Amino acid sequence: GGVTICAVYPSNGTPNECQPGQGGRMKVHDNDGNVEFKVKVPAGVRFVGRTVNGGIQASGIAADAEAHTVNGGISLDAAGTARAETVNGGIVAHLGRADWTGALKLKTVNGGIDVVMPEGLSADVKASTVNGDIQTDFPLTVTGRISRRKIEGTIGSGGRLLEMETVNGGIELRKAGAKKG
């Protein structure tokens, strides 16, 4: 079912435990520690990273990638698809494929979102920001009202839902190989 890697802190009372997914129990009780994991993921294996205080950087993932944190930025470079969510930090995601199922969400509160997708993208796009701009390299057929801070529309023939949301930061949706700007 996968491999789970955790830092287990000493506890006062109920022991901390490492469990897959969102399971487990971690009470740090003022343990001032810093842990950095460097993990190599075999080709074809999906990567999911979760932390509370710290960023997640995953590059060269030869499959799908997903990252969740509260305080830290996220950088994902995957041959497959990528999903990311944080509160305090930006998101940079390079996707090698655009054939995801369900909604593909990239969400933060304090930080920008920079997404690189392959040419030929077809998606229904929902993008919103409160303090920032939205830019795209892809031709977008807008549905409803046009706004600097909220866009709903279709790229290509649509079909898959791409949601990008931030409060304090801009959103960029770029074509693979295009220069940032």
Side-chain angles (χ1 to χ4, degrees):
V3 174
T4 300
I5 301 169
C6 304
V8 180
Y9 293 89
S11 68
N12 299 338
T14 307
N16 288 323
E17 60 184 14
C18 180
Q19 295 290 325
Q22 294 181 9
R25 180 176 29 258
M26 291 293 158
K27 300 289 183 191
V28 296
H29 298 290
D30 296 323
N31 284 309
D32 292 331
N34 185 15
V35 178
E36 182 176 312
F37 293 106
K38 289 186 180 184
V39 180
K40 291 188 178 191
V41 179
V45 174
R46 180 173 165 254
F47 169 80
V48 179
R50 297 182 193 278
T51 186
V52 174
N53 291 312
I56 298 173
Q57 181 178 356
S59 60
I61 302 295
D64 295 342
E66 186 175 330
H68 304 270
T69 185
V70 176
N71 295 306
I74 296 173
S75 177
L76 298 174
D77 181 4
T81 62
R83 290 173 165 80
E85 188 168 343
T86 184
V87 176
N88 295 307
I91 296 172
V92 176
H94 293 243
L95 286 73
R97 287 192 350 260
D99 61 349
W100 65 87
T101 57
L104 190 144
K105 294 182 183 180
L106 300 153
K107 184 177 179 181
T108 184
V109 175
N110 295 307
I113 299 173
D114 184 1
V115 183
V116 178
M117 292 277 196
E119 295 225 21
L121 171 66
S122 285
D124 295 321
V125 176
K126 290 184 179 182
S128 66
T129 180
V130 175
N131 298 305
D133 292 329
I134 301 171
Q135 298 179 20
T136 181
D137 289 345
F138 293 92
L140 180 73
T141 304
V142 176
T143 307
R145 234 175 111 196
I146 296 175
S147 165
R148 244 178 76 182
R149 294 189 169 85
K150 184 175 183 182
I151 290 179
E152 290 188 23
T154 303
I155 294 174
S157 58
R160 293 174 176 82
L161 180 58
L162 171 60
E163 291 183 89
M164 298 170 288
E165 182 182 335
T166 183
V167 174
N168 296 308
I171 297 173
E172 280 193 63
L173 178 58
R174 298 184 290 128
K175 286 183 184 177
K179 293 187 179 196
K180 186 175 177 172

